[in-house]
Amino acid sequence: MGTEDGNDGPDHGADHRAAPRPPAGLVERIGEHAARAPSRIAVMEAEGAGGLTYAELDAVAMARAAWLSGHCAPGDRVLLVYSAGCELLKSLLGCLYAGVTAVAAPVPGPPWHLASATGRALDAEPRVVLTDIRDLMAVADWMGQDGLPRMSLLTTDLADLDVPAAPGAPPPLRPPAPDSVALLRYVPRPAAGAERLTHTHGEVARHLDLTSRVMGLAEGVRSGAWLPPQPGTGDLRQVLAALYAGGTAITLPPGEPVPPRRWLELIDRHRIEVSGAPARFYDECVRGVPPETVDRLDLSHWRRALIEADQAAEGAPARFAARFAPAGFRPEAFTACYSPASWTTLVSTSPAITDAGVRSLERGVLEPLRSCSLGTEAAAQADPGVVSLVGLEVPPDMPVGVVDPGTGEAMPDLRIGEIEMAGADGRERTGDLGVRYGDRVYLVGRSDETLSAYGRTVYPGFVERWVRGLHRAFKGAIGGVFTVPALREELVVVHEVRQDGAEEFCLPSLAWTIRDALARRSGVRAGSVVLLPAGEVPCNAEGGVNRALLRDLFMADALESLHEELDQEVRRRYRREPPIHPVRLIRSRARRPAGSAT
């Protein structure tokens, strides 16, 4: 997306090129699409019929903005509490059109959701709370119980807000100033609560412009985006990027993902060109979709299959591409992506995967990297100490550096440091660790998840990937690594044992394999190993392991383990009585196909 040089005469050494214009705001872009292609579908639910055209979406947002501008002053905050993504989207756009600040909060439910919603409400001090009839009772009860009656509560789908404003009504602010605040987000931080982040209209426009370009979104492109069970403004970034580009956003159901076969059928039915999922879901498609279904699918139009970079290095893309090649899926469609938690945008995508010879879990030099295609199976590694990393291409207009976390000084190539990017206020830290090599950046993990054990720095993501490569019993399963206080910080490895075959595994032998490999390869002693049945490790919304929750469950003796090998002091502190574990064999049983009768 470049600009042409309009100079007619020769260039005599001076640079006459105009400074690049900032991208248009989301409000302006939707208005442009509504004027140019009013009948094009802007957003629709994959399981529903019809959808909202750009003309209808623009009118709905204008109507909600008209109401908000009559009840709020520019810059006031509006709390959006929805479990349905489309209603959240309408109200979010209404806030942006009206020039008020949108704050998304989870629908109050379990205690942690109550605390989260209350914390955001008290911190943001919103003028109005918007919800829909589906969530009205839960939201009203929450506001009464937590002493929040001073805020006005409105049910948007019952208040005729989507009816165009009457003649003579005050027009909403359109477009808002680029430096005015558009979104207020709360990003969870391990052991530090939630961090409040503000984003101006100019920042949102810049992020969406970049996201739409690196994802290949353009006018008419059909994008399929998951809606999480507790949607927030950051979770709608793929939908917003599709609207920014003038494409069609097809929203997949909130809550638990649809069965793998149904997901692929929706991609086929709606001719979706851009969509993605966690690595474990791609593997579930490989295991759970029968051959007769594969033969009926047409996935040839799917040109961007998104996967998080830190999940792409373990073979899921290769397995999926091989399984669905008969359906027309192309290996080069797989695209690894990276989205820092503090940003509302996808920063980079890359079609390449790289094997990095990482034979030490402490901070140090990585061996030279070699490239291979993301959509093909990497050669089997004879050395189990080798961990794969994904190299991300850095967009030319989004400079990325790797700096020393303590001093902020630039790190040389192949040295682990914190990833830093250019932001509205200068250089911004992401909290992610990585290395730079040539024109690519390779993700290592989160700085706030780095562990210290026996005088060494341990990267949990490395250990977890490493363990999965130690034995066939761990392939296709997930695990978590953390430390617990004992006489000192003791490393604990918790991992699932797969159950999709008829093979028997000796559990004590599997535990010994983990302990011995860590001690020999990294010098880190894993005194405690816990083996779980498949599906017992808690995951986060992105499909990665929820280490904090897993650690809490371990310390509370709340894990339904198949086998435990615990350090003596760890057992004394965290187990009520020492169990007796005879040598056991576990027989892998065939996994029941998704959707089959029980």
Side-chain angles (χ1 to χ4, degrees):
M1 185 179 291
T3 57
E4 296 182 358
D5 190 347
N7 294 333
D8 295 326
D11 187 349
H12 297 290
D15 189 354
H16 298 291
R17 290 174 297 178
R21 295 178 57 188
L26 178 60
V27 171
E28 297 171 281
R29 291 300 295 265
I30 292 179
E32 293 171 1
H33 300 320
R36 186 164 52 247
S39 60
R40 179 187 298 151
I41 298 295
V43 61
M44 65 181 296
E45 296 180 357
E47 298 281 13
L52 286 174
T53 66
Y54 271 97
E56 292 168 338
L57 181 62
D58 188 54
V60 166
M62 290 282 285
R64 295 198 179 190
W67 185 90
L68 287 168
S69 62
H71 293 76
C72 303
D76 280 350
R77 293 165 180 172
V78 176
L79 194 67
L80 311 179
V81 189
Y82 293 94
S83 59
C86 285
E87 274 300 305
L88 170 64
L89 178 63
K90 293 177 185 177
S91 293
L92 171 64
L93 293 177
C95 291
L96 298 182
Y97 278 45
V100 298
T101 302
V103 186
V107 175
W112 51 87
H113 287 160
L114 282 172
S116 177
T118 302
R120 297 185 192 194
L122 293 175
D123 183 76
E125 298 181 335
R127 177 69 62 88
V128 176
V129 179
L130 300 183
T131 189
D132 58 10
I133 188 62
R134 178 187 317 192
D135 303 312
L136 176 60
M137 294 303 297
V139 175
D141 289 346
W142 158 68
M143 292 177 64
Q145 292 172 14
D146 282 29
L148 305 171
R150 67 184 184 279
M151 296 182 292
S152 301
L153 174 62
L154 181 70
T155 309
T156 52
D157 52 351
L158 292 182
D160 293 331
L161 291 190
D162 297 346
V163 177
L173 301 177
R174 184 182 182 187
D179 59 351
S180 61
V181 177
L183 305 176
L184 190 63
R185 299 174 57 228
Y186 293 84
V187 178
R189 300 297 190 198
E195 179 183 359
R196 185 173 80 174
L197 302 173
T198 59
H199 301 279
T200 66
H201 284 268
E203 286 179 291
V204 171
R206 182 166 57 89
H207 297 331
L208 294 180
D209 176 66
L210 177 61
T211 300
S212 61
R213 285 189 284 117
V214 297
M215 290 180 65
L217 298 173
E219 292 191 7
V221 171
R222 301 173 74 81
S223 168
W226 293 103
L227 293 179
Q230 297 291 347
T233 52
D235 302 317
L236 288 172
R237 61 189 164 204
Q238 187 175 337
V239 174
L240 296 177
L243 297 178
Y244 188 90
T248 296
I250 300 171
T251 61
L252 300 169
E256 286 298 314
V258 296
R261 178 172 61 183
R262 186 61 183 148
W263 178 46
L264 298 181
E265 288 173 345
L266 290 173
I267 290 176
D268 181 1
R269 179 178 128 198
H270 293 287
R271 312 295 293 175
I272 290 174
E273 300 166 76
V274 179
S275 189
R280 61 182 175 84
F281 201 65
Y282 284 111
D283 275 334
E284 287 179 21
C285 291
V286 172
R287 293 190 297 264
V289 178
E292 57 271 20
T293 300
V294 176
D295 294 337
R296 293 196 302 266
L297 291 172
D298 178 10
L299 304 179
S300 59
H301 48 82
W302 192 3
R303 58 185 183 82
R304 291 260 180 167
L306 305 177
I307 184 171
E308 288 289 334
D310 59 351
Q311 301 177 23
E314 300 180 65
R319 292 186 289 270
F320 185 92
R323 181 73 175 85
F324 292 96
F329 184 85
R330 297 181 300 276
E332 57 271 20
F334 263 111
T335 304
C337 54
Y338 168 53
S339 305
S342 59
W343 289 54
T344 58
T345 184
L346 178 94
V347 167
S348 178
T349 58
S350 174
I353 189 173
T354 300
D355 296 328
V358 182
R359 291 180 173 82
S360 174
L361 298 182
E362 61 184 337
R363 182 173 168 179
V365 177
L366 301 181
E367 294 184 2
L369 311 172
R370 60 185 185 277
S371 297
C372 62
S373 171
L374 179 62
T376 59
E377 189 77 60
Q381 301 295 336
D383 186 349
V386 171
V387 177
S388 296
L389 297 178
V390 170
L392 289 166
E393 296 172 338
V394 178
D397 54 350
M398 180 61 67
V400 177
V402 176
V403 301
D404 186 288
T407 65
E409 296 180 357
M411 299 289 289
D413 277 9
L414 298 178
R415 297 286 295 186
I416 296 176
E418 185 175 358
I419 297 176
E420 182 185 68
M421 296 182 176
D425 301 322
R427 306 296 294 180
E428 296 180 2
R429 301 281 187 88
T430 64
D432 292 315
L433 298 175
V435 295
R436 183 144 194 169
Y437 185 68
D439 60 350
R440 295 181 184 269
V441 170
Y442 303 84
L443 301 180
V444 173
R446 289 281 305 171
S447 60
D448 50 16
E449 293 176 348
T450 301
L451 306 175
S452 178
Y454 298 95
R456 292 183 178 271
T457 299
V458 177
Y459 303 107
F462 275 9
V463 180
E464 290 157 7
R465 285 187 241 167
W466 204 5
V467 169
R468 281 192 284 274
L470 291 176
H471 196 279
R472 58 187 177 277
F474 304 137
K475 290 187 180 298
I478 61 173
V481 176
F482 50 86
T483 59
V484 295
L487 293 177
R488 52 188 167 184
E489 288 294 315
E490 293 286 346
L491 192 72
V492 179
V493 178
V494 179
H495 210 283
E496 297 174 349
V497 178
R498 68 174 176 85
Q499 296 176 275
D500 55 357
E503 189 176 6
E504 290 183 341
F505 300 121
C506 178
L507 299 178
S509 177
L510 293 179
W512 179 87
T513 298
I514 295 174
R515 299 172 74 173
D516 178 67
L518 281 175
R520 288 190 297 107
R521 294 290 177 178
S522 66
V524 176
R525 176 178 176 272
S528 299
V529 175
V530 180
L531 301 178
L532 302 179
E536 290 298 313
V537 171
C539 295
N540 54 32
E542 291 75 30
V545 60
N546 187 334
R547 298 189 190 98
L549 178 56
L550 184 63
R551 179 177 183 269
D552 291 343
L553 292 173
F554 171 84
M555 295 174 69
D557 195 14
L559 293 172
E560 297 293 333
S561 63
L562 294 170
H563 182 77
E564 289 186 342
E565 295 280 352
L566 301 184
D567 178 86
Q568 182 176 358
E569 180 63 19
V570 171
R571 183 180 298 281
R572 187 185 70 80
R573 291 197 182 202
Y574 302 109
R575 295 297 178 261
R576 290 181 288 273
E577 56 184 27
I580 299 176
H581 283 303
V583 174
R584 296 177 56 195
L585 298 177
I586 177 173
R587 181 183 296 276
S588 294
R589 60 180 181 275
R591 186 184 297 269
R592 181 178 291 112
S596 63
T598 57

